[in-house]
Amino acid sequence: ANNIRGVDEQGTLRLCVDFKECHGFYGNTKWAKPRLVVKCDLEARPGYQTCKAHEFNDEEDVLASKIKVLAKLIGKAKHVTAYTGAGISTASGINDYASKAKDSKALQRPKLKSGTLARPTLAHRVLAAMEKENLLHHWVQQNHDGLPQKAGYPQHKLNEIHGAWFDPSNPVVAMSGDLRDDLFQWMLEEEQKTDLCLTMGTSLCGMNSDRMAETPALKSFEGKALGTVIVSLQRTQMDSYAGLRIFATIDRVMELLAQELKIKYNIEDEIYEYPDAKVHGEIHWGKQCVVSGQMPILGNLYQDRSKSRYVCERAYQQLDKDEKKSYELVEGKARYEKKDVDVFAVPYDANGKLVEGQRNKQKTLLLNLQVGAKLKMTDGPFKGEEGYVWMIKKEEKHILIVVYHDIKKKYRHRQRVPERTSRLFGRWMIEAAVNGKLSRLPFVNL
């Protein structure tokens, strides 16, 4: 509270600290300091390295200037990483940890029946659009909610370092638990690659993953990186490290940034589906391409005269003239049997390991996601444990599986595990597996 004072004729309460903590070292000393909008003397994250839960806003002209600086930094950067905490998802209805005031700006959100039904925020959708424009290269997410993927961000560029609701091999890690070794190693690699970190919605209270914000900030002092941008309504312990410090809601910042970068993002929030007939065309369940191994075949389907061999559009276009004469386009609606629905060919072996090299029918594994299909975990703390597909969720068509556990075992993620648990397998995980984008398949069929 000692850093909040009235500094203008109107008696507006502002943050009175060094201008670098208000704006970052790319800031301007002439910019007005952030205005207090919510006062709260409680600690943002009790027990951690945090500040009071006061909330501040930049004046509109200052915010506009900061957005221009941010856009220029993104344009200069070679490897941009987003590092996000719970604050990016509060507008979707998911609780955060640091918003303590009853009138907090972050708590103005919809009520959810379940966090797994949350829809991506504007910020999630803009970040997904930035990836498509090659303006965002990686994302380290502290949250577990799957909102980046629902917005269209690719799974293979997202490190869900603290666990994921939609990846059964990556359960949520307790505060006392250990991070998954492969995800931790991946984070260390990206930490060194990152020359600009967009840090949003995290209190930066001393988590291991805070290195994603800290390292590029420290490297910027030596001229070896562009640094770290921190976006949050509340102060953080790392504000003095920031190249650019923005006090505003994350959605507002990302809306203005999209305008400045002139990028288009999904205005309407559509339910993610895979496969999606609106995107991929006809879905030919049970038909496997003899060239690429793809199954089901999406879009145009070609069959030979014997009607026993099939190729997809891409494979057909790669055939020579004589080979094409052996195939004909199958017209009309796709025909299939119920037993073939939700069975996918994926380029992994029987242990869930990615098969390297050119894919074909012989180099694929069938992944059966039909209700009742038996499975065995191949990755994460539950590796080796068995289960089955329980149901296809009605709302968003994700796969719900049941896994049986050894209650005597001490799991590294340190969460209490009963004899069996139900876990979601996101539709985007299926697409990533089909395209060989997962480092390892979470489970295989028995």
Side-chain angles (χ1 to χ4, degrees):
N2 294 334
N3 294 320
I4 303 171
R5 300 171 189 164
V7 296
D8 57 21
E9 293 179 358
Q10 289 74 33
T12 301
L13 293 175
R14 296 188 182 275
L15 178 59
C16 290
V17 294
D18 184 82
F19 92 95
K20 290 181 181 178
E21 291 188 47
C22 295
H23 307 308
F25 56 78
Y26 290 121
N28 190 319
T29 56
K30 295 182 181 179
W31 288 345
K33 291 186 174 182
R35 172 170 40 89
L36 179 72
V37 290
V38 174
K39 186 176 181 180
C40 182
D41 285 318
L42 297 174
E43 291 291 328
R45 291 292 298 272
Y48 296 90
Q49 301 172 27
T50 57
C51 302
K52 299 293 184 182
H54 306 305
E55 296 179 8
F56 301 88
N57 264 344
D58 283 319
E59 299 297 344
E60 281 298 310
D61 61 328
V62 175
L63 179 58
S65 297
K66 288 183 177 181
I67 295 300
K68 291 184 181 298
V69 174
L70 175 56
K72 288 179 180 178
L73 288 172
I74 291 171
K76 290 179 181 178
K78 295 179 180 178
H79 195 88
V80 181
T81 294
Y83 176 51
T84 61
I88 194 175
S89 298
T90 52
S92 74
I94 295 176
N95 291 332
D96 68 356
Y97 301 97
S99 300
K100 296 292 188 291
K102 292 182 180 179
D103 55 346
S104 168
K105 301 299 179 184
L107 297 179
Q108 299 169 9
R109 59 196 180 198
K111 291 184 178 180
L112 296 173
K113 182 172 132 183
S114 167
T116 61
L117 297 177
R119 305 303 309 151
T121 65
L122 183 148
H124 289 104
R125 300 198 296 273
V126 172
L127 287 170
M130 287 175 62
E131 185 277 330
K132 289 181 173 62
E133 297 292 332
N134 200 33
L135 296 173
L136 179 63
H137 308 97
H138 189 64
W139 190 337
V140 176
Q141 131 125 321
Q142 293 179 317
N143 304 338
H144 328 295
D145 49 39
L147 296 185
Q149 302 97 310
K150 289 183 182 183
Y153 192 85
Q155 178 69 41
H156 68 281
K157 292 185 178 182
L158 179 73
N159 188 339
E160 295 172 288
I161 189 66
H162 291 163
W165 291 341
F166 295 90
D167 178 356
S169 69
N170 189 22
V172 174
V173 181
M175 288 306 219
S176 60
D178 296 326
L179 301 177
R180 223 173 78 175
D181 290 342
D182 58 330
L183 298 182
F184 181 68
Q185 184 58 42
W186 189 20
M187 181 175 68
L188 296 182
E189 293 168 4
E190 290 295 331
E191 174 191 356
Q192 296 307 316
K193 289 180 183 179
T194 300
D195 63 343
L196 180 66
C197 181
L198 306 183
T199 303
M200 299 185 287
T202 171
S203 52
L204 296 170
C205 60
M207 300 289 185
N208 195 319
S209 55
D210 287 349
R211 64 179 64 239
M212 294 305 303
E214 184 177 16
T215 296
L218 294 175
K219 288 168 72 174
S220 71
F221 298 153
E222 302 173 359
K224 296 179 180 179
L226 292 172
T228 294
V229 178
I230 299 177
V231 181
S232 174
L233 291 168
Q234 298 177 350
R235 298 177 67 201
T236 79
Q237 293 289 334
M238 287 182 59
D239 287 354
S240 60
Y241 288 48
L244 186 64
R245 183 59 172 97
I246 302 177
F247 289 90
T249 63
I250 299 169
D251 277 359
R252 177 62 174 155
V253 170
M254 297 310 292
E255 178 185 27
L256 295 174
L257 180 61
Q259 294 172 9
E260 187 67 26
L261 293 173
K262 295 181 172 57
I263 59 173
K264 295 181 179 180
Y265 59 94
N266 292 334
I267 302 297
E268 295 183 5
D269 177 25
E270 297 182 355
I271 299 292
Y272 177 95
E273 289 187 44
Y274 182 83
D276 186 352
K278 292 182 292 184
V279 176
H280 305 111
E282 288 293 327
I283 304 169
H284 301 278
W285 294 107
K287 305 296 189 297
Q288 186 167 18
C289 178
V290 296
V291 177
S292 68
Q294 177 187 351
M295 188 178 91
I297 291 176
L298 306 179
N300 288 339
L301 170 72
Y302 297 84
Q303 65 182 11
D304 69 354
R305 293 189 180 93
S306 69
K307 297 185 179 181
S308 62
R309 290 167 59 86
Y310 306 94
V311 293
C312 62
E313 178 68 36
R314 184 175 181 181
Y316 178 79
Q317 295 302 332
Q318 293 174 347
L319 300 176
D320 61 34
K321 290 183 179 180
D322 291 333
E323 289 175 319
K324 284 182 178 179
K325 292 178 182 178
S326 301
Y327 289 89
E328 62 180 5
L329 177 66
V330 177
E331 304 279 3
K333 294 283 290 182
R335 297 180 180 180
Y336 52 85
E337 296 181 40
K338 189 175 181 180
K339 67 179 179 60
D340 296 323
V341 176
D342 277 329
V343 178
F344 301 85
V346 294
Y348 296 83
D349 66 17
N351 296 312
K353 184 179 179 181
L354 182 65
V355 176
E356 301 293 345
Q358 188 173 0
R359 296 170 203 164
N360 53 45
K361 191 172 182 178
Q362 287 69 43
K363 287 188 175 181
T364 57
L365 175 78
L366 292 186
L367 182 63
N368 184 351
L369 298 176
Q370 293 181 334
V371 173
K374 295 181 179 179
L375 56 87
K376 182 179 181 179
M377 301 298 297
T378 60
D379 200 11
F382 306 137
K383 184 177 179 179
E385 296 179 343
E386 299 179 2
Y388 63 93
V389 177
W390 184 15
M391 67 171 69
I392 311 297
K393 295 290 284 184
K394 181 179 180 181
E395 295 90 349
E396 297 182 348
K397 304 295 188 290
H398 301 299
I399 312 298
L400 188 64
I401 70 171
V402 168
V403 181
Y404 294 100
H405 305 291
D406 180 357
I407 59 174
K408 296 180 181 179
K409 181 179 177 181
K410 291 185 178 180
Y411 293 93
R412 292 187 62 190
H413 66 300
R414 303 285 178 91
Q415 294 280 20
R416 180 181 174 276
V417 178
E419 290 185 357
R420 68 176 187 174
T421 59
S422 58
R423 301 188 177 274
L424 287 167
F425 187 56
R427 280 281 163 181
W428 50 81
M429 296 287 290
I430 303 173
E431 182 174 15
V434 166
N435 293 319
K437 295 295 186 179
L438 298 179
S439 59
R440 196 177 185 93
L441 200 61
F443 56 81
V444 295
N445 291 114
L446 289 174

